[in-house]
Amino acid sequence: MIRTKWRVAGLVGGPIEGGGRASGYFTGATGTTIYRGNAFPKEYSNNAFVGDAGGNLVHRKILIPDGVNIKAQRAPGEERMEFVASTDTWCRPVQFANGPDGAFYIIDMYREIIEHPWSLPENIKKFLDLNSGNDRGRIYRIAPDGFKEPKPPHLGKASIKELVATLENPNGWHRDTASRLIYEKQDKKAVEPLRQLVRKSHFALARLHALHSLDGLGALSENDVLTGLNDSDAHVREHAVKLSETLFRKGHPESKLWNKLQSLASDPDIHVRYQLAFTLGEIDGSQKTAPLAAIARRDKDDSWLQAAILSSMAEGAGDLFADLSRDAGFCESKSGQEFLRQLVAIVGAKNNRQEVARVIDFIGQVKQPAVSFAMVRGLGDGLRRANVSILDAGGNVREILASAKKYAADDNAPADVRLEAIQALSLAPFSDAGSTLLGLLNLQEPQEIQLVSVSTLARFNEPEVGTDLTKKWDALTPRLRTEVIHVLTARKDRAMALLKAIQAGAIQPNALDTTQAKFLRNHRDPEVHELALKVLGTKPTGTRQQVIDQFAPTLSLKGDRAHGKKVYEERCISCHRLGGEGYALGPDLVTVKNTGKEKIMVNILDPNREVRPDYVSFLIETKDDESQIGLIVNETHTTVTLRQPYAKETVINRSDIKKMQSQGQSMMPEGIEAGMSPQDLADLIEYIETADDKPAQAAQK
């Protein structure tokens, strides 16, 4: 609190957080725990509790199902207060626990100082003992009024029968401990009582625990699983579906179990269907096609269910496509078409000649050009992964691509048809499609048409792509130039074309941000490296602190919100969301608006001073000599998803990656202040601090 006052008064340096407020906002979240006790009323069950050690408080959230997802909101009566808020500034809640007595326990680290020593001014630090409290610590028991402490349990001395009975205890600590002890003891005397619990307990969580305990004892039978699959509680059914996988014999369940599993494709609960979509992937053969198709039809608008189904397509994608492609209603829906496009990509990757022919035959019968182009693109992408060209797949593919070329150039055609047609041209030879795609890069075309044309051009390996794009530079808008720079830096030959254009004066060096310039200066190819050093020079010698000092007058200037919005749209919108606009690459600026002008200014001018791990850029080099820089936003065992400005996402197969390396820097480039005055920066900060939190109806992704 003193530090903040001194910073506001200018007595010491350092960023002014919270707009000059010392508290009132989260500085760190820790110890997230779900309450599973029974001392509090039922409405507290399954609530989430989060500590803020800097704010001396514990925050409570109610979790609400939202399809496969969950949402969280403040509890009634706590809209403007916290579940626990201490007046003791040494109180540091860092972890929580559910107790055997059903109460909720807070682990309080209890320290006088929680800030890092480097953040404290010397004139304050000399009066403090930074180790003060290291011999202390508290555990608080939080219980409702009228709480009566029950007798402490002695489960270590309990019999097997008593442990099984404890699975019906409403307190999660008791159930968890009993489950652990049953597993550790491995006493087969527990099997029959557990089966009785599965069949007769009135408590759903007891039935769920009993099923897992039987599995832990190696005693789970088909009848046990069938009982779980027929349970009235959706959570029990969901877990029974997963446990059924242990009974599959070489990928084939027994008929009775299989009949029940496939009937659950129409289960009313989405979580049961979600788990079933995964479990069906463990079954060999075509018998899983019908239930997967049933789930796909029912949940075609749910991206989570679609992903689960596609993950189960290690085999059988062709059969599933054959089933769904006969469903006119499914094929006519946008979500159904997108699912089929992803499905045919899997068919292409498998490269089964019969299945590929079936897809091509279907595409030939499609009457909607946009759909046929999308399907050809999906199949072509899949075949490319199998190192096969779709041009060699037979059928009427060449006629479809010829049609795509005509639609792409037809400015009277519907936008959605043109966009699909342009993307489909990535499958045609560059000698045939290149001139059409380059011709679309003109100011008369809508921006979305030009952007898709650039991303399609990026898929060709021909060296002339780079040279042709640099020749188009003067006709490109700032948004297009950003995309083109990403394409030009991706391959050696394009990077050389870019550097030669800069050397010739056709493109200005400031078209590159600091991250891109650094990448080219340190390029693995000696030719690119040498030309980059010659054209771009070495890294500027000035420090970020010098820039911060230069813009110090910003903090004393009154900002113009309207002009600040224009600055945001020019320099920030490609990577940050604010007021319902922009794209999510860096942090949402709503989350920093209360940190104070000085901290916002420092973060803008020196983006690498404090970088959260999830905003560190990565360089990915592929086996076909492409280089991509971005944030890793998703990883699976087979793919890595890279996000770049304007929320562009590229999914890269791990099998195609030659090198993946952290750049140790923020994706936000240094030098964003180039061409700005202190007043411009003051205007931008004013807009950030005053922008409306509510998203606009036409908000960007």
Side-chain angles (χ1 to χ4, degrees):
M1 294 168 69
I2 295 172
R3 180 192 65 189
T4 300
K5 289 178 181 178
W6 285 10
R7 285 179 175 176
V8 171
L11 299 176
V12 298
I16 301 173
E17 301 169 326
R21 293 178 295 118
S23 61
Y25 52 93
F26 270 82
T27 59
T30 181
T32 302
T33 299
I34 305 298
Y35 177 66
R36 298 170 62 238
N38 63 332
F40 279 90
K42 191 174 182 179
E43 58 266 25
Y44 286 81
S45 180
N46 292 318
N47 288 185
F49 290 85
V50 186
D52 182 33
N56 322 116
L57 60 86
V58 178
H59 180 70
R60 175 186 169 208
K61 275 282 197 289
I62 293 179
L63 305 181
I64 303 167
D66 181 27
V68 174
N69 281 316
I70 50 175
K71 297 186 294 186
Q73 66 182 31
R74 281 183 175 267
E78 294 178 22
E79 292 84 359
R80 294 187 172 274
M81 60 183 292
E82 301 298 344
F83 178 73
V84 169
S86 177
T87 57
D88 183 350
T89 57
W90 288 36
C91 178
R92 310 296 184 186
V94 293
Q95 189 56 274
F96 312 100
N98 291 282
D101 55 4
F104 189 65
Y105 285 77
I106 298 175
I107 291 81
D108 175 9
M109 189 171 72
Y110 207 74
R111 294 289 189 278
E112 180 179 7
I113 306 301
I114 198 71
E115 292 87 356
H116 194 288
W118 292 355
S119 71
L120 295 171
E122 289 299 324
N123 285 344
I124 293 178
K125 191 160 36 176
K126 68 183 181 181
F127 292 107
L128 299 174
D129 176 4
L130 298 182
N131 289 317
S132 180
N134 68 353
D135 58 343
R136 304 187 186 187
R138 297 176 174 180
I139 297 177
Y140 290 96
R141 178 172 66 185
I142 310 298
D145 291 340
F147 172 72
K148 293 182 179 180
E149 183 177 359
K151 291 181 179 180
H154 298 283
L155 295 182
K157 299 177 181 179
S159 66
I160 283 295
K161 184 176 181 181
E162 290 170 331
L163 288 175
V164 172
T166 302
L167 296 180
E168 291 193 287
N169 194 297
N171 184 338
W173 183 94
H174 287 249
R175 298 194 306 274
D176 291 348
T177 304
S179 295
R180 174 175 58 80
L181 292 172
I182 290 170
Y183 177 76
E184 289 176 354
K185 290 178 182 294
Q186 288 292 308
D187 190 335
K188 301 302 181 182
K189 293 177 184 176
V191 171
E192 193 51 40
L194 285 169
R195 284 183 173 145
Q196 290 300 315
L197 213 59
V198 169
R199 292 174 175 80
K200 298 182 178 179
S201 176
H202 297 292
F203 187 32
L205 286 175
R207 302 195 295 272
L208 190 152
H209 274 287
L211 283 170
H212 279 280
S213 292
L214 285 168
D215 180 49
L217 293 173
L220 188 69
S221 70
E222 183 179 273
N223 285 336
D224 299 327
V225 171
L226 286 169
T227 301
L229 294 175
N230 285 295
D231 200 280
S232 60
D233 184 87
H235 293 298
V236 177
R237 297 198 301 276
E238 175 190 356
H239 281 256
V241 171
K242 184 172 183 177
L243 288 169
S244 71
E245 297 173 15
T246 64
L247 303 177
F248 298 170
R249 296 180 181 176
K250 296 182 179 180
H252 296 283
E254 296 294 337
S255 59
K256 196 172 182 181
L257 177 59
W258 169 239
N259 290 336
K260 182 57 189 177
L261 281 173
Q262 61 180 334
S263 74
L264 293 176
S266 59
D267 192 278
D269 189 89
I270 192 170
H271 292 92
V272 176
R273 302 194 301 275
Y274 185 54
Q275 179 57 55
L276 180 63
F278 286 119
T279 295
L280 289 170
E282 303 299 315
I283 297 174
D284 296 335
S286 60
Q287 57 182 332
K288 64 184 176 185
T289 301
L292 282 172
I295 297 172
R297 290 185 179 93
R298 176 166 181 163
D299 298 295
K300 62 180 180 295
D301 296 322
D302 191 293
S303 60
W304 290 97
L305 265 296
Q306 287 188 14
I309 295 168
L310 292 170
S311 76
S312 292
M313 289 289 97
E315 63 173 0
D319 293 329
L320 183 59
F321 175 81
D323 190 313
L324 294 174
S325 62
R326 292 192 293 266
D327 188 329
F330 188 87
C331 295
E332 290 171 2
S333 68
K334 287 287 184 183
S335 53
Q337 291 167 7
E338 174 57 23
F339 181 82
L340 287 176
R341 187 190 68 77
Q342 296 182 63
L343 190 59
V344 299
I346 297 175
V347 172
K350 291 295 181 184
N351 193 26
N352 177 290
R353 185 171 298 181
Q354 186 176 7
E355 292 181 348
V356 170
R358 185 188 297 161
V359 172
I360 291 176
D361 182 60
F362 168 79
I363 294 171
Q365 299 175 36
V366 172
K367 304 300 182 185
Q368 300 165 274
V371 178
S372 67
F373 298 151
M375 294 299 163
V376 164
R377 177 165 59 92
L379 182 62
D381 288 345
L383 287 170
R384 182 176 286 171
R385 288 165 57 188
N387 297 315
V388 175
S389 171
I390 194 172
L391 298 175
D392 299 327
N396 60 344
V397 170
R398 293 180 183 274
E399 289 84 350
I400 292 173
L401 292 179
S403 176
K405 184 177 177 180
K406 292 179 182 178
Y407 272 106
D410 184 0
D411 55 11
N412 292 317
D416 63 326
V417 178
R418 295 189 71 194
L419 292 172
E420 289 292 352
I422 293 168
Q423 293 177 84
L425 289 180
S426 66
L427 304 171
F430 182 74
S431 58
D432 187 32
S435 58
T436 299
L437 294 169
L438 288 163
L440 295 174
L441 301 182
N442 65 77
L443 296 176
Q444 283 71 46
E445 292 288 356
Q447 186 179 83
E448 61 178 351
I449 294 292
Q450 296 187 68
L451 286 171
V452 172
S453 298
V454 171
S455 63
T456 302
L457 283 165
R459 303 193 66 179
F460 292 97
N461 295 333
E462 280 74 7
E464 53 263 44
V465 170
T467 305
D468 290 341
L469 283 173
T470 60
K471 291 177 180 178
K472 287 283 184 178
W473 187 259
D474 289 339
L476 302 177
T477 62
R479 171 71 176 89
L480 266 297
R481 289 182 175 185
T482 298
E483 189 68 24
V484 167
I485 289 293
H486 282 295
V487 174
L488 292 175
T489 55
R491 301 184 68 86
K492 173 201 167 181
D493 53 276
R494 297 181 204 159
M496 289 295 293
L498 169 62
L499 290 168
K500 288 176 181 178
I502 294 174
Q503 188 177 40
I507 297 176
Q508 294 302 308
N510 61 12
L512 298 170
D513 63 36
T514 52
T515 304
Q516 293 161 340
K518 176 185 175 183
F519 166 68
L520 292 173
R521 290 190 191 100
N522 299 318
H523 203 282
R524 69 181 187 277
D525 183 84
E527 192 177 5
V528 176
H529 168 70
E530 291 174 11
L531 185 57
L533 290 177
K534 181 179 179 180
V535 173
L536 303 176
T538 57
K539 184 178 179 180
T541 56
T543 67
R544 286 288 96 192
Q545 188 57 50
Q546 289 174 327
V547 175
I548 292 170
D549 294 342
Q550 176 188 340
F551 277 84
T554 295
L555 300 177
S556 60
L557 297 174
K558 181 176 176 59
D560 179 339
R561 185 182 186 279
H563 182 250
K565 183 177 181 181
K566 292 181 180 178
V567 177
Y568 161 76
E569 291 171 345
E570 291 171 358
R571 297 175 183 260
C572 313
I573 200 169
S574 64
C575 298
H576 296 280
R577 286 180 50 77
L578 183 64
E581 298 181 309
Y583 298 82
L585 179 64
D588 193 315
L589 294 183
V590 166
T591 65
V592 303
K593 63 185 296 183
N594 291 325
T595 60
K597 289 184 178 181
E598 185 174 358
K599 188 170 180 64
I600 294 174
M601 182 187 79
V602 170
N603 287 341
I604 291 172
L605 300 177
D606 190 3
N608 291 307
R609 180 169 294 197
E610 299 177 4
V611 187
R612 279 173 41 184
D614 46 337
Y615 291 116
V616 172
S617 61
F618 274 76
L619 167 66
I620 294 181
E621 297 176 1
T622 62
K623 293 176 182 177
D624 63 351
D625 290 328
E626 281 207 350
S627 301
Q628 300 274 0
I629 297 177
L631 296 184
I632 294 178
V633 294
N634 188 38
E635 290 188 81
T636 70
H637 70 286
T638 57
T639 64
V640 174
T641 302
L642 207 64
R643 183 179 295 166
Q644 297 169 325
Y646 294 99
K648 177 186 175 183
E649 291 192 354
T650 303
V651 179
I652 305 171
N653 294 317
R654 286 190 182 275
S655 58
D656 295 334
I657 295 176
K658 180 168 65 177
K659 180 182 179 181
M660 183 166 67
Q661 183 176 13
S662 168
Q663 299 299 282
Q665 289 186 316
S666 167
M667 267 299 290
M668 181 173 173
E670 295 177 351
I672 196 172
E673 76 283 349
M676 290 176 66
S677 67
Q679 184 62 61
D680 293 330
L681 186 54
D683 296 344
L684 173 60
I685 293 173
E686 178 70 16
Y687 177 62
I688 291 173
E689 290 191 318
T690 60
D692 188 358
D693 291 359
K694 295 180 180 179
Q697 287 186 349
Q700 297 287 353
K701 202 173 177 182

